[in-house]
Each structure stands twice: as structure tokens, then as C-alpha cells.
Amino acid sequence: MTTTMVLPEVDQQVRVGKSCHFCGAELQRTFVDLGMSPLCETYPSATDLNCGETYYPLHVYVCGKCFLVQLEEYESAENIFSDYAYFSSYSDSWLKHADNYCAKMKSRFGLDENSFVVEVASNDGYLLQYFVQRNIPVLGIEPAANVAKVAVEKGIPTLVKFFGASLAEELVREGRRADLVLGNNVLAQVPNLNDFVEGLQILLKPEGVLTLEFPHLLKLIEHNEFDTIYHEHFSYFSLLTTVKIMEAHGLKVFDVEELPSHGGSLRVFACRADAETHQIDVNVARVIAEEEKAGLGTPEGYEAFAQQVKATKLALLDLLLNAAREGKKVAGYGAPGKSATLLHYCGIGKDLIEYTVDRSPYKQGRFLPGTHIPIYHPDRISETKPDYVVILPWNLKNEILEQLQYIREWGGRFIVPIPSATIL
């Protein structure tokens, strides 16, 4: 199916120039260039508005050797994630997703009070709380102290550290190898990919299971999900490339599930390469075949994306400009990280979206990075009665449509920007 890739004998932390986060090959092929944008999870306060903000290129490359799609590391993970604005527990649908996952893992792998589960990038305990409710011992690892504090208050043991091989070795020395290691939407956020995956392998018991969830590159391309590209995400994964990365670190992918979350994600199941319990499921070959059919195993398969993205931009701008000409009031719903990419690439500011709202108290009273669109409590929508509400976290469209059905009372309508601007 795949050939195990041998990593170059170089220190991955001292890469010079544009080289692949995984295999070290020189990056020469552009996937898409989205211009300049600030860090997407930096929400300035009112007192910060007269200060400058740093913008970085959103120039995305695809490795010609392993086909990992990636950004350069412009800002360190320590600066991005040590104090973070994203709290997973503010999405009801995401909590349900987490609860369902815990139930499935308990049933499938026989987890009980004698098992040990470790989540890397455990955020505010949104997921591990459901293992705790099932009397399964857990440990969270979360580098953002402000977010980890919420998990600890829920009674979830949490280490405030960045994960890598050295931390995994430390846990092993303490006798804390895991039956299940999981990482939801963290693999993309790791600049030192090889150190991170090596740590996952070290932490696993001989027959332990690793699950990783991440947005599926195939769906990103098919649905024009360019706004999921931002500086906090260093890499974007196909299963083809993920298998190569796992194999390079002594892991084998034995199953995969396709999920609707985040516009289309993969849940990859892996174990140690020498594990005897887990046989490779037909799902792995099926998804790889889909990717190969779409051209993700060749450089040519990545060439059309930039034009698709441009078409999506023009469609959204056309819709919002027409609304502005007609004197319509337009607000946003949500202040997700992806909105920074969407708004900056499309050139959308307060002239086209007057304000946005968000359920997170951390973001209320602050402003979107760069555009300085103000963020209010969701009650602002019923107070101002906008003609249109742009759903910025479009991946939560169904949840938000249900929450905001009341805007129909004054004739309000919704705009969904991705995959192409649509009025609902």
C-alpha cells in the first residue's frame, strides 16, 4: 500500500529555509497563497486597538516528496498556545461528539477502571470528563494554562506542558503508559511533527491504541475550506501522508473513520507496528483509494485549489457588496479562528459585517484580529435585528441555525460562506 519513508538525519528543530515539517525535502510547490493575516486567536481588547498587529504570510506549500500540505513556522507554538482563546466546551454539538467517542472507545477496546487514557491537547476537559463519568482513569496534557485551569476545576488531572518525546519518556518512567492516547485537532498544530508523533508511540502500551482526529485534506479541497488554513495550523493531512508519518515512527494505521466534523474529518486509529491485536481494516485502503482517485498522490492533484478559492472569495464579496448597496444590516455569528483567514483574504471589514457575537465570555467585549470587528454576547442579534447573519463557524451551521431561528421573525436570513456564499 505504502512504502515506509526514511527520515533524513537532521535536527528537525533547526530546519533552514522552506523545508518539509516531516521529510525535510525542500518546499517548492505552492498549494495556495492567501496573502497576509494576523494570528487568528489573538483577540485585541479596546485598549489594544491603537497598537500595531503583526501580520504573517499565509502562503501554503505542498511537499513534492511526501505531499504534506503545510505553512512555514512564523511564530512559535509556545507564543501561540501558552495562553489560548479557544474553549471546546462552548459547542453543544462538539460535546456530544466527545461523549459519543468515549462511549465507542470504551465499548470497542474494553476500557474500564483499570485502563489509562491520555489526551494530548485536552483543552478545558471537554472530552475527558466523559471518561471520568465512566470511571476510567485519565490524564490531560494541555499547554494553555488558562484553558487547563478550567479542566482542573472539573476534577480532571491535567499537565500544563507541551507534548513531545521527552514528556512521553518522563511519563513512561513514572509507569504511566496508556491504553488509549488521543489527540483531537492537535496534529495540525504541531510544528515539530516528528518529535510529537515519536512521543505518541513512546507513550503507548504494547497493545495500546492511538486515535487522532483532524480535518481531511481531501474535504478541504473538495469543499473550498480555505479558511481552515491559518498560522496556528502548521500542516494539513491526507491519509496517504498520515500513513507515511506513522510508519516512520513505528506505528501502523489499522482503521479510519470519516467524520462530518469541521467540514469533513478523519479519525485515524493506530498502534505499534508490532502489535498483534489490531488488524488493518478495509477502510484504510478505501480512503486511500479515494485520495488517489482525486490526485492526492501526484503533484497535479493540488493545482486547481487556488482557483477554486478565488471563486469562493468573489462569490462572498459579491453577496455582501450587494447587501451593503441595498442598505442591509449584516452581522456575524461566532468568532472562530478561521474567520481571520476568511475576512482578511476576502477583504471584509466593519464596512460589510458590522459586528459578530460569540458564546464565549473570553471573546465578548474584544475584537476580531486585524479587522477589529467587535464581538458581543449573542443577545446583540435580537437587540439590533440584522437583515443577514453570516455564520462564520460554518462547520457548526446546523447547531447555529437551530439556535437563531428567531431571526426569521423580522425577516432575517443566514449567509453561509463556505463552500460558496449561500443565503438560507
Side-chain angles (χ1 to χ4, degrees):
M1 183 187 303
T2 58
T3 302
T4 300
M5 182 168 289
V6 178
L7 299 180
E9 293 294 328
V10 297
D11 184 347
Q12 294 294 312
Q13 297 202 33
V14 292
R15 291 179 288 106
V16 178
K18 297 187 290 292
S19 56
C20 178
H21 294 311
F22 167 54
C23 73
E26 184 179 359
L27 298 176
Q28 299 178 321
R29 186 178 293 271
T30 295
F31 178 58
V32 66
D33 189 344
L34 299 173
M36 303 286 287
S37 181
L39 297 178
C40 74
E41 292 286 351
T42 54
Y43 298 90
S45 66
T47 57
D48 298 326
L49 295 185
N50 286 330
C51 301
E53 291 179 72
T54 303
Y55 280 59
Y56 303 92
L58 273 177
H59 190 152
V60 191
Y61 296 88
V62 57
C63 178
K65 183 178 180 183
C66 69
F67 301 114
L68 179 66
V69 172
Q70 59 200 280
L71 285 170
E72 290 184 76
E73 183 184 354
Y74 294 103
E75 187 59 86
S76 71
E78 286 76 13
N79 284 344
I80 293 173
F81 298 115
S82 293
D83 185 78
Y84 204 46
Y86 180 73
F87 292 77
S88 297
S89 292
Y90 287 109
S91 169
D92 296 336
S93 61
W94 190 240
L95 290 176
K96 184 177 180 180
H97 174 86
D99 193 9
N100 289 340
Y101 167 86
C102 294
K104 288 180 68 173
M105 296 307 104
K106 180 179 187 296
S107 173
R108 180 170 179 178
F109 301 113
L111 301 176
D112 58 24
E113 64 275 7
N114 297 312
S115 304
F116 184 46
V117 175
V118 177
E119 182 178 13
V120 180
S122 51
N123 201 261
D124 58 6
Y126 76 102
L127 185 146
L128 290 181
Q129 63 184 336
Y130 298 113
F131 278 126
V132 170
Q133 290 173 13
R134 293 170 169 87
N135 298 314
I136 297 170
V138 303
L139 174 67
I141 300 172
E142 170 55 53
N146 65 313
V147 179
K149 180 175 181 288
V150 177
V152 172
E153 290 170 351
K154 294 177 182 177
I156 298 165
T158 305
L159 292 178
V160 184
K161 293 185 177 183
F162 281 90
F163 181 78
S166 62
L167 179 56
E169 289 167 350
E170 179 183 323
L171 291 170
V172 170
R173 286 194 296 270
E174 295 171 358
R176 296 203 278 179
R177 270 208 165 106
D179 298 277
L180 174 66
V181 178
L182 68 124
N184 285 350
N185 300 300
V186 61
L187 195 63
Q189 297 177 324
V190 177
N192 195 338
L193 197 54
N194 290 310
D195 178 72
F196 183 83
V197 177
E198 184 66 21
L200 297 174
Q201 184 271 137
I202 290 168
L203 191 55
L204 279 178
K205 287 183 179 179
E207 297 295 324
V209 172
L210 164 69
T211 73
L212 296 168
E213 291 182 25
F214 47 81
H216 190 188
L217 178 62
L218 178 62
K219 301 304 179 185
L220 184 153
I221 293 172
E222 288 179 347
H223 300 152
N224 299 328
E225 297 167 356
F226 68 90
D227 60 340
T228 60
I229 295 169
Y230 38 84
H231 301 104
E232 287 83 345
H233 285 176
F234 299 101
S235 305
Y236 305 84
F237 299 90
S238 64
L239 185 58
L240 276 164
T241 298
T242 302
V243 168
K244 294 175 183 177
I245 294 169
M246 295 297 119
E247 288 182 343
H249 293 278
L251 294 165
K252 70 177 178 183
V253 173
F254 67 86
D255 199 2
V256 62
E257 295 178 7
E258 294 178 280
L259 307 171
S261 54
H262 298 288
S265 295
L266 294 181
R267 176 183 290 153
V268 169
F269 295 77
C271 61
R272 290 173 174 268
D274 57 359
E276 298 179 356
T277 308
H278 313 289
Q279 302 303 311
I280 297 177
D281 192 272
V282 294
N283 288 332
V284 177
R286 177 181 58 78
V287 173
I288 286 178
E290 290 175 3
E291 293 181 344
E292 289 177 335
K293 183 179 179 181
L296 298 192
T298 67
E300 293 73 27
Y302 299 84
E303 291 178 349
F305 184 65
Q307 283 303 116
Q308 295 173 201
V309 168
K310 183 178 179 180
T312 300
K313 168 182 177 174
L314 295 176
L316 179 59
L317 269 177
D318 187 51
L319 193 158
L320 292 176
L321 287 169
N322 283 335
R325 292 187 190 102
E326 295 169 5
K328 302 293 186 182
K329 181 185 289 289
V330 180
Y333 185 95
K338 66 180 67 177
S339 66
T341 299
L342 179 77
L343 299 176
H344 283 88
Y345 174 67
C346 295
I348 297 168
K350 288 181 287 188
D351 52 342
L352 297 179
I353 297 179
E354 184 179 322
Y355 67 86
T356 191
V357 302
D358 199 275
R359 293 175 66 186
S360 171
Y362 186 93
K363 298 178 182 179
Q364 292 164 12
R366 292 176 176 265
F367 298 80
L368 293 182
T371 61
H372 294 175
I373 293 172
I375 307 167
Y376 295 103
H377 186 278
D379 288 348
R380 182 82 173 187
I381 289 177
S382 58
E383 293 167 0
T384 62
K385 296 180 171 55
D387 299 290
Y388 294 105
V389 174
V390 182
I391 299 178
L392 296 171
W394 47 260
N395 54 299
L396 301 176
K397 175 184 69 175
N398 293 335
E399 177 182 338
I400 294 165
L401 288 174
E402 185 176 340
Q403 291 173 6
L404 298 187
Q405 274 304 310
Y406 63 82
I407 76 169
R408 305 291 191 188
E409 295 172 6
W410 61 79
R413 303 182 70 182
F414 299 95
I415 295 173
V416 181
I418 301 291
S420 185
T422 305
I423 298 177
L424 300 177

mmCIF file with all atom_site columns, all heavy atoms in Angstrom, residues 292-308:
data_model
loop_
_atom_site.group_PDB
_atom_site.id
_atom_site.type_symbol
_atom_site.label_atom_id
_atom_site.label_alt_id
_atom_site.label_comp_id
_atom_site.label_asym_id
_atom_site.label_entity_id
_atom_site.label_seq_id
_atom_site.pdbx_PDB_ins_code
_atom_site.Cartn_x
_atom_site.Cartn_y
_atom_site.Cartn_z
_atom_site.occupancy
_atom_site.B_iso_or_equiv
_atom_site.pdbx_formal_charge
_atom_site.auth_seq_id
_atom_site.auth_comp_id
_atom_site.auth_asym_id
_atom_site.auth_atom_id
_atom_site.pdbx_PDB_model_num
ATOM 1   N N   . GLU A 1 292 ? -6.298  8.828  -3.879  1.00 0.00 ? 292 GLU A N   1
ATOM 2   C CA  . GLU A 1 292 ? -5.525  8.622  -5.110  1.00 0.00 ? 292 GLU A CA  1
ATOM 3   C C   . GLU A 1 292 ? -6.360  8.962  -6.335  1.00 0.00 ? 292 GLU A C   1
ATOM 4   O O   . GLU A 1 292 ? -5.860  9.547  -7.306  1.00 0.00 ? 292 GLU A O   1
ATOM 5   C CB  . GLU A 1 292 ? -5.014  7.185  -5.163  1.00 0.00 ? 292 GLU A CB  1
ATOM 6   C CG  . GLU A 1 292 ? -3.909  6.913  -4.139  1.00 0.00 ? 292 GLU A CG  1
ATOM 7   C CD  . GLU A 1 292 ? -3.440  5.472  -4.132  1.00 0.00 ? 292 GLU A CD  1
ATOM 8   O OE1 . GLU A 1 292 ? -4.252  4.591  -4.537  1.00 0.00 ? 292 GLU A OE1 1
ATOM 9   O OE2 . GLU A 1 292 ? -2.293  5.214  -3.712  1.00 0.00 ? 292 GLU A OE2 1
ATOM 10  N N   . LYS A 1 293 ? -7.650  8.628  -6.302  1.00 0.00 ? 293 LYS A N   1
ATOM 11  C CA  . LYS A 1 293 ? -8.546  8.967  -7.408  1.00 0.00 ? 293 LYS A CA  1
ATOM 12  C C   . LYS A 1 293 ? -8.655  10.472 -7.586  1.00 0.00 ? 293 LYS A C   1
ATOM 13  O O   . LYS A 1 293 ? -8.765  10.990 -8.704  1.00 0.00 ? 293 LYS A O   1
ATOM 14  C CB  . LYS A 1 293 ? -9.932  8.361  -7.162  1.00 0.00 ? 293 LYS A CB  1
ATOM 15  C CG  . LYS A 1 293 ? -10.915 8.589  -8.293  1.00 0.00 ? 293 LYS A CG  1
ATOM 16  C CD  . LYS A 1 293 ? -12.262 7.935  -8.001  1.00 0.00 ? 293 LYS A CD  1
ATOM 17  C CE  . LYS A 1 293 ? -13.248 8.181  -9.138  1.00 0.00 ? 293 LYS A CE  1
ATOM 18  N NZ  . LYS A 1 293 ? -14.583 7.574  -8.859  1.00 0.00 ? 293 LYS A NZ  1
ATOM 19  N N   . ALA A 1 294 ? -8.608  11.207 -6.461  1.00 0.00 ? 294 ALA A N   1
ATOM 20  C CA  . ALA A 1 294 ? -8.678  12.668 -6.507  1.00 0.00 ? 294 ALA A CA  1
ATOM 21  C C   . ALA A 1 294 ? -7.340  13.303 -6.859  1.00 0.00 ? 294 ALA A C   1
ATOM 22  O O   . ALA A 1 294 ? -7.250  14.531 -6.974  1.00 0.00 ? 294 ALA A O   1
ATOM 23  C CB  . ALA A 1 294 ? -9.166  13.206 -5.167  1.00 0.00 ? 294 ALA A CB  1
ATOM 24  N N   . GLY A 1 295 ? -6.296  12.499 -6.992  1.00 0.00 ? 295 GLY A N   1
ATOM 25  C CA  . GLY A 1 295 ? -4.993  13.006 -7.401  1.00 0.00 ? 295 GLY A CA  1
ATOM 26  C C   . GLY A 1 295 ? -4.073  13.413 -6.278  1.00 0.00 ? 295 GLY A C   1
ATOM 27  O O   . GLY A 1 295 ? -3.033  14.047 -6.522  1.00 0.00 ? 295 GLY A O   1
ATOM 28  N N   . LEU A 1 296 ? -4.389  13.047 -5.041  1.00 0.00 ? 296 LEU A N   1
ATOM 29  C CA  . LEU A 1 296 ? -3.556  13.497 -3.928  1.00 0.00 ? 296 LEU A CA  1
ATOM 30  C C   . LEU A 1 296 ? -2.229  12.753 -3.829  1.00 0.00 ? 296 LEU A C   1
ATOM 31  O O   . LEU A 1 296 ? -1.391  13.110 -3.003  1.00 0.00 ? 296 LEU A O   1
ATOM 32  C CB  . LEU A 1 296 ? -4.323  13.365 -2.603  1.00 0.00 ? 296 LEU A CB  1
ATOM 33  C CG  . LEU A 1 296 ? -5.591  14.208 -2.480  1.00 0.00 ? 296 LEU A CG  1
ATOM 34  C CD1 . LEU A 1 296 ? -6.098  14.224 -1.047  1.00 0.00 ? 296 LEU A CD1 1
ATOM 35  C CD2 . LEU A 1 296 ? -5.380  15.626 -2.986  1.00 0.00 ? 296 LEU A CD2 1
ATOM 36  N N   . GLY A 1 297 ? -2.037  11.760 -4.659  1.00 0.00 ? 297 GLY A N   1
ATOM 37  C CA  . GLY A 1 297 ? -0.756  11.074 -4.709  1.00 0.00 ? 297 GLY A CA  1
ATOM 38  C C   . GLY A 1 297 ? 0.146   11.599 -5.807  1.00 0.00 ? 297 GLY A C   1
ATOM 39  O O   . GLY A 1 297 ? 1.222   11.043 -6.071  1.00 0.00 ? 297 GLY A O   1
ATOM 40  N N   . THR A 1 298 ? -0.262  12.708 -6.456  1.00 0.00 ? 298 THR A N   1
ATOM 41  C CA  . THR A 1 298 ? 0.528   13.329 -7.528  1.00 0.00 ? 298 THR A CA  1
ATOM 42  C C   . THR A 1 298 ? 0.550   14.839 -7.331  1.00 0.00 ? 298 THR A C   1
ATOM 43  O O   . THR A 1 298 ? -0.400  15.415 -6.782  1.00 0.00 ? 298 THR A O   1
ATOM 44  C CB  . THR A 1 298 ? -0.070  13.030 -8.917  1.00 0.00 ? 298 THR A CB  1
ATOM 45  O OG1 . THR A 1 298 ? -1.342  13.690 -9.020  1.00 0.00 ? 298 THR A OG1 1
ATOM 46  C CG2 . THR A 1 298 ? -0.264  11.533 -9.120  1.00 0.00 ? 298 THR A CG2 1
ATOM 47  N N   . PRO A 1 299 ? 1.587   15.516 -7.792  1.00 0.00 ? 299 PRO A N   1
ATOM 48  C CA  . PRO A 1 299 ? 1.622   16.991 -7.658  1.00 0.00 ? 299 PRO A CA  1
ATOM 49  C C   . PRO A 1 299 ? 0.450   17.672 -8.354  1.00 0.00 ? 299 PRO A C   1
ATOM 50  O O   . PRO A 1 299 ? -0.056  18.690 -7.878  1.00 0.00 ? 299 PRO A O   1
ATOM 51  C CB  . PRO A 1 299 ? 2.960   17.360 -8.320  1.00 0.00 ? 299 PRO A CB  1
ATOM 52  C CG  . PRO A 1 299 ? 3.798   16.126 -8.217  1.00 0.00 ? 299 PRO A CG  1
ATOM 53  C CD  . PRO A 1 299 ? 2.837   14.979 -8.355  1.00 0.00 ? 299 PRO A CD  1
ATOM 54  N N   . GLU A 1 300 ? 0.000   17.108 -9.452  1.00 0.00 ? 300 GLU A N   1
ATOM 55  C CA  . GLU A 1 300 ? -1.067  17.729 -10.234 1.00 0.00 ? 300 GLU A CA  1
ATOM 56  C C   . GLU A 1 300 ? -2.394  17.800 -9.473  1.00 0.00 ? 300 GLU A C   1
ATOM 57  O O   . GLU A 1 300 ? -3.242  18.647 -9.765  1.00 0.00 ? 300 GLU A O   1
ATOM 58  C CB  . GLU A 1 300 ? -1.269  16.974 -11.553 1.00 0.00 ? 300 GLU A CB  1
ATOM 59  C CG  . GLU A 1 300 ? -0.107  17.068 -12.526 1.00 0.00 ? 300 GLU A CG  1
ATOM 60  C CD  . GLU A 1 300 ? 1.110   16.245 -12.098 1.00 0.00 ? 300 GLU A CD  1
ATOM 61  O OE1 . GLU A 1 300 ? 0.914   15.232 -11.376 1.00 0.00 ? 300 GLU A OE1 1
ATOM 62  O OE2 . GLU A 1 300 ? 2.247   16.606 -12.482 1.00 0.00 ? 300 GLU A OE2 1
ATOM 63  N N   . GLY A 1 301 ? -2.582  16.906 -8.514  1.00 0.00 ? 301 GLY A N   1
ATOM 64  C CA  . GLY A 1 301 ? -3.833  16.875 -7.772  1.00 0.00 ? 301 GLY A CA  1
ATOM 65  C C   . GLY A 1 301 ? -4.064  18.086 -6.893  1.00 0.00 ? 301 GLY A C   1
ATOM 66  O O   . GLY A 1 301 ? -5.173  18.289 -6.379  1.00 0.00 ? 301 GLY A O   1
ATOM 67  N N   . TYR A 1 302 ? -3.026  18.915 -6.714  1.00 0.00 ? 302 TYR A N   1
ATOM 68  C CA  . TYR A 1 302 ? -3.113  20.068 -5.821  1.00 0.00 ? 302 TYR A CA  1
ATOM 69  C C   . TYR A 1 302 ? -3.199  21.396 -6.579  1.00 0.00 ? 302 TYR A C   1
ATOM 70  O O   . TYR A 1 302 ? -3.282  22.455 -5.959  1.00 0.00 ? 302 TYR A O   1
ATOM 71  C CB  . TYR A 1 302 ? -1.887  20.083 -4.900  1.00 0.00 ? 302 TYR A CB  1
ATOM 72  C CG  . TYR A 1 302 ? -1.784  18.854 -4.038  1.00 0.00 ? 302 TYR A CG  1
ATOM 73  C CD1 . TYR A 1 302 ? -1.195  17.682 -4.520  1.00 0.00 ? 302 TYR A CD1 1
ATOM 74  C CD2 . TYR A 1 302 ? -2.290  18.841 -2.745  1.00 0.00 ? 302 TYR A CD2 1
ATOM 75  C CE1 . TYR A 1 302 ? -1.123  16.536 -3.734  1.00 0.00 ? 302 TYR A CE1 1
ATOM 76  C CE2 . TYR A 1 302 ? -2.219  17.707 -1.951  1.00 0.00 ? 302 TYR A CE2 1
ATOM 77  C CZ  . TYR A 1 302 ? -1.634  16.555 -2.452  1.00 0.00 ? 302 TYR A CZ  1
ATOM 78  O OH  . TYR A 1 302 ? -1.570  15.418 -1.676  1.00 0.00 ? 302 TYR A OH  1
ATOM 79  N N   . GLU A 1 303 ? -3.208  21.356 -7.888  1.00 0.00 ? 303 GLU A N   1
ATOM 80  C CA  . GLU A 1 303 ? -3.031  22.574 -8.680  1.00 0.00 ? 303 GLU A CA  1
ATOM 81  C C   . GLU A 1 303 ? -4.288  23.426 -8.811  1.00 0.00 ? 303 GLU A C   1
ATOM 82  O O   . GLU A 1 303 ? -4.195  24.641 -8.974  1.00 0.00 ? 303 GLU A O   1
ATOM 83  C CB  . GLU A 1 303 ? -2.495  22.216 -10.071 1.00 0.00 ? 303 GLU A CB  1
ATOM 84  C CG  . GLU A 1 303 ? -1.053  21.698 -10.030 1.00 0.00 ? 303 GLU A CG  1
ATOM 85  C CD  . GLU A 1 303 ? -0.526  21.296 -11.397 1.00 0.00 ? 303 GLU A CD  1
ATOM 86  O OE1 . GLU A 1 303 ? -1.355  21.227 -12.346 1.00 0.00 ? 303 GLU A OE1 1
ATOM 87  O OE2 . GLU A 1 303 ? 0.685   21.043 -11.513 1.00 0.00 ? 303 GLU A OE2 1
ATOM 88  N N   . ALA A 1 304 ? -5.477  22.836 -8.755  1.00 0.00 ? 304 ALA A N   1
ATOM 89  C CA  . ALA A 1 304 ? -6.703  23.589 -9.036  1.00 0.00 ? 304 ALA A CA  1
ATOM 90  C C   . ALA A 1 304 ? -7.241  24.342 -7.824  1.00 0.00 ? 304 ALA A C   1
ATOM 91  O O   . ALA A 1 304 ? -8.123  25.198 -7.962  1.00 0.00 ? 304 ALA A O   1
ATOM 92  C CB  . ALA A 1 304 ? -7.778  22.640 -9.571  1.00 0.00 ? 304 ALA A CB  1
ATOM 93  N N   . PHE A 1 305 ? -6.719  24.056 -6.639  1.00 0.00 ? 305 PHE A N   1
ATOM 94  C CA  . PHE A 1 305 ? -7.325  24.591 -5.424  1.00 0.00 ? 305 PHE A CA  1
ATOM 95  C C   . PHE A 1 305 ? -7.314  26.114 -5.385  1.00 0.00 ? 305 PHE A C   1
ATOM 96  O O   . PHE A 1 305 ? -8.298  26.745 -4.987  1.00 0.00 ? 305 PHE A O   1
ATOM 97  C CB  . PHE A 1 305 ? -6.617  24.026 -4.191  1.00 0.00 ? 305 PHE A CB  1
ATOM 98  C CG  . PHE A 1 305 ? -7.223  24.442 -2.887  1.00 0.00 ? 305 PHE A CG  1
ATOM 99  C CD1 . PHE A 1 305 ? -8.508  24.046 -2.548  1.00 0.00 ? 305 PHE A CD1 1
ATOM 100 C CD2 . PHE A 1 305 ? -6.517  25.238 -1.987  1.00 0.00 ? 305 PHE A CD2 1
ATOM 101 C CE1 . PHE A 1 305 ? -9.080  24.431 -1.344  1.00 0.00 ? 305 PHE A CE1 1
ATOM 102 C CE2 . PHE A 1 305 ? -7.083  25.621 -0.786  1.00 0.00 ? 305 PHE A CE2 1
ATOM 103 C CZ  . PHE A 1 305 ? -8.365  25.218 -0.463  1.00 0.00 ? 305 PHE A CZ  1
ATOM 104 N N   . ALA A 1 306 ? -6.220  26.729 -5.794  1.00 0.00 ? 306 ALA A N   1
ATOM 105 C CA  . ALA A 1 306 ? -6.107  28.188 -5.697  1.00 0.00 ? 306 ALA A CA  1
ATOM 106 C C   . ALA A 1 306 ? -7.203  28.883 -6.494  1.00 0.00 ? 306 ALA A C   1
ATOM 107 O O   . ALA A 1 306 ? -7.768  29.894 -6.038  1.00 0.00 ? 306 ALA A O   1
ATOM 108 C CB  . ALA A 1 306 ? -4.726  28.646 -6.173  1.00 0.00 ? 306 ALA A CB  1
ATOM 109 N N   . GLN A 1 307 ? -7.554  28.371 -7.669  1.00 0.00 ? 307 GLN A N   1
ATOM 110 C CA  . GLN A 1 307 ? -8.606  28.988 -8.470  1.00 0.00 ? 307 GLN A CA  1
ATOM 111 C C   . GLN A 1 307 ? -9.973  28.785 -7.832  1.00 0.00 ? 307 GLN A C   1
ATOM 112 O O   . GLN A 1 307 ? -10.835 29.666 -7.884  1.00 0.00 ? 307 GLN A O   1
ATOM 113 C CB  . GLN A 1 307 ? -8.591  28.419 -9.888  1.00 0.00 ? 307 GLN A CB  1
ATOM 114 C CG  . GLN A 1 307 ? -7.484  28.980 -10.764 1.00 0.00 ? 307 GLN A CG  1
ATOM 115 C CD  . GLN A 1 307 ? -7.551  30.505 -10.873 1.00 0.00 ? 307 GLN A CD  1
ATOM 116 O OE1 . GLN A 1 307 ? -6.647  31.211 -10.427 1.00 0.00 ? 307 GLN A OE1 1
ATOM 117 N NE2 . GLN A 1 307 ? -8.635  31.021 -11.456 1.00 0.00 ? 307 GLN A NE2 1
ATOM 118 N N   . GLN A 1 308 ? -10.188 27.631 -7.212  1.00 0.00 ? 308 GLN A N   1
ATOM 119 C CA  . GLN A 1 308 ? -11.444 27.389 -6.507  1.00 0.00 ? 308 GLN A CA  1
ATOM 120 C C   . GLN A 1 308 ? -11.621 28.407 -5.378  1.00 0.00 ? 308 GLN A C   1
ATOM 121 O O   . GLN A 1 308 ? -12.719 28.917 -5.155  1.00 0.00 ? 308 GLN A O   1
ATOM 122 C CB  . GLN A 1 308 ? -11.458 25.977 -5.897  1.00 0.00 ? 308 GLN A CB  1
ATOM 123 C CG  . GLN A 1 308 ? -11.432 24.842 -6.895  1.00 0.00 ? 308 GLN A CG  1
ATOM 124 C CD  . GLN A 1 308 ? -11.268 23.487 -6.214  1.00 0.00 ? 308 GLN A CD  1
ATOM 125 O OE1 . GLN A 1 308 ? -10.856 22.520 -6.838  1.00 0.00 ? 308 GLN A OE1 1
ATOM 126 N NE2 . GLN A 1 308 ? -11.572 23.413 -4.927  1.00 0.00 ? 308 GLN A NE2 1
#
